[in-house]
Amino acid sequence: MLEKALRYIVGLNKANEIHFNGGTFVDKQMTQLKTPKFPTLEVNTLESVVTYLRKIKDERMDEGFGPTIVHIVDATTVELKNVAAPEEGRRDCMVRAKAEVPDFLYGQFYDAESFNIGMQSKFTETEDKGTILQVVGNLKEDAVRTMTDDGVSQVTAVRTGVATVADVKVPNPVVLRPFRTFIEVEQPESKFIFRMREGGKCALFEADGGAWQLEAKENIYNFLREKLQEEIESGKVVLIA
């Protein structure tokens, strides 16, 4: 009964007015009110996404809800969304997983001590990381100079003993694995340009054109596909990268 009445009112609303018994009752454009939207649940790990889909969504599927769309937005964001409701034309985001990654400013020069700490705490182990730490840790300040042969490579003076120094060539490019995505997956490996300047300052410049982001999304996809294999095969979950 109520639905029929609403449809009648909307039908009368073509002229933005509703007239009844000689009076005008509405002179504004009427639109259907949408169902109240529940707030998005914010989490920080992929394991939280897996737990939600395994423990909570089963009940919603039993109640007739459609599959959940797991959208890998980027290297640090995964969203869980419902299939769009046809009558409302919208798709709610139920859960958003946002990776907590440490800040490291690429292209900015750090003093040797800050750079050393950043390298040790914000990068996973690689051979080039060890080489850079050895150079920076033994750096003799104010001894950095750029070679004139190619304008790219650099040499610097480092301590080789209690009172001796020696010139070493700064490695370039270097292959590193910064923490840039969810901790549950392998951190993408990519190339960087390592530069130094007078005063013992050091910087890293990204040199892979952003290809690491594609690798990170693939790593997230493979992790979720393995963890949610049963849900994906049963049609409860649709995984999109």
Side-chain angles (χ1 to χ4, degrees), residues 146-147 149-154 170 172-173 193-195:
T146 301
M147 296 176 65
D149 57 344
D150 59 11
V152 176
S153 301
Q154 291 182 311
V170 177
N172 260 315
I193 302 301
F194 174 51
R195 300 294 291 173

Side-chain angles (χ1 to χ4, degrees), residues 217-230:
K217 291 180 67 174
E218 182 178 359
N219 292 345
I220 295 170
Y221 181 91
N222 292 335
F223 176 87
L224 292 174
R225 183 178 59 181
E226 179 181 352
K227 293 285 187 176
L228 299 169
Q229 181 178 358
E230 182 178 341

